Amino acid sequence: AEAWKVLTRNNPFPGVTGRVCPHPCESACNRTYFDGAAVNINCVERTVGDFGLHKGLAFEKTAQNKNGKIAVVGSGPAGMSCAYQLARMGYDVTVFEAAPKPGGMLRYAIPAYRLPEAVVDAEISRIVNLGVTMKLNTAVGKDISFDELKKQFKAVYVAIGAQSGTALGVEGEEGRVLSGLVFLKSVRENNPAKIGKKVVIVGGGNTAIDAARIARRMGSDVTVLYRRTAVEMPAYEEEVTAAQEE
């Protein structure tokens, strides 16, 4: 429990990061020089995070109330982390989210086999329980203007994420080519995009590999095309290996 308190001072999502972080720090861990192996911090974080979820550990809020309301635009990991820190300081925080559920790309982009929705729900609920107000299905610029936010709140933190895909820019792609994020989101929303028997994934990042594994599980024959070598693929090595095994 004490380890959980220490860990969550800076990171309110230990159960999430313990599952999806690629732990690059382990390759530079100086423990390797003492006993031949890095500290497996990724599994430590997941274990401590899951302990907190299992035991129902809750965040402590300061008794001091700060003067001023703060708006956070976006309920992904950046937005909810900001809301968490501000709420613990005693600020009145309101989060505006265009989607029907909070979590951003944690919920709508990362496949459930890597990050179960129940973990996202539980770790976000702890933050909300600090007194954070959630305004879901509320798009800034549509349902409320940015100028209105600036009038109503002392400060505005914008955490809209990077949820736009990139077009290939080749002839004939319109209507036949989906961005990886659009495809993954359709699956998470239980309304999967229709794909053919043979699917080509262009790219070698984590989104590409996630899309490849999901398409394979939907019954398609999948080929991943990447412009460089397999060693140079930016996707996590264990994810690439798992995809090949599938």
Side-chain angles (χ1 to χ4, degrees):
E2 190 63 29
W4 181 85
K5 289 180 181 179
V6 171
L7 184 56
T8 56
R9 286 174 191 164
N10 293 314
N11 176 18
F13 292 107
V16 168
T17 51
R19 285 170 168 80
V20 302
C21 177
H23 46 90
C25 56
E26 290 184 20
S27 61
C29 178
N30 63 11
R31 195 71 217 171
T32 304
Y33 304 111
F34 291 95
D35 42 24
V39 174
N40 192 348
I41 194 65
N42 197 236
C43 285
V44 170
E45 187 166 34
R46 176 170 173 171
T47 300
V48 173
D50 285 357
F51 173 86
L53 293 174
H54 179 68
K55 296 293 185 181
L57 301 183
F59 298 134
E60 296 179 6
K61 185 178 180 181
T62 179
Q64 181 182 0
N65 289 323
K66 302 276 188 175
N67 183 24
K69 297 193 298 181
I70 313 293
V72 174
V73 182
S75 69
M80 294 309 297
S81 293
C82 177
Y84 163 68
Q85 298 293 358
L86 290 171
R88 284 204 310 165
M89 294 177 191
Y91 284 101
D92 183 352
V93 184
T94 300
V95 177
F96 293 86
E97 170 57 54
K101 292 183 179 181
M105 293 179 72
L106 296 181
R107 185 182 301 278
Y108 292 110
I110 302 176
Y113 64 79
R114 286 179 57 201
L115 182 59
E117 193 167 9
V119 175
V120 177
D121 285 337
E123 297 209 316
I124 288 179
S125 292
R126 277 197 309 234
I127 299 172
V128 175
N129 289 341
L130 286 171
V132 174
T133 300
M134 302 297 295
K135 297 284 189 181
L136 303 176
N137 290 307
T138 306
V140 174
K142 179 182 177 183
D143 300 304
I144 185 171
S145 72
F146 192 71
D147 286 337
E148 287 180 87
L149 289 186
K150 290 194 290 184
K151 291 176 183 177
Q152 295 179 26
F153 295 90
K154 185 176 182 180
V156 181
Y157 180 79
V158 180
I160 57 175
Q163 299 188 32
S164 297
T166 303
L168 292 175
V170 298
E171 186 178 348
E173 70 173 302
E174 189 173 343
R176 298 191 64 192
V177 179
L178 286 173
S179 79
L181 292 176
V182 168
F183 172 60
L184 292 171
K185 185 177 181 181
S186 74
V187 173
R188 289 304 300 262
E189 291 179 327
N190 295 317
N191 186 28
K194 293 182 179 179
I195 56 176
K197 180 61 180 174
K198 291 187 176 181
V199 173
V200 170
I201 307 291
V202 181
N206 289 308
T207 299
I209 298 303
D210 285 345
R213 295 182 71 183
I214 289 292
R216 183 72 190 95
R217 293 175 185 210
M218 289 171 66
S220 298
D221 294 328
V222 182
T223 301
V224 175
L225 300 181
Y226 181 59
R227 58 182 172 165
R228 298 191 179 97
T229 65
V231 176
E232 295 173 288
M233 289 175 67
Y236 309 154
E237 184 178 353
E238 58 265 38
E239 292 294 324
V240 175
T241 301
Q244 289 173 320
E245 289 174 352
E246 287 200 55

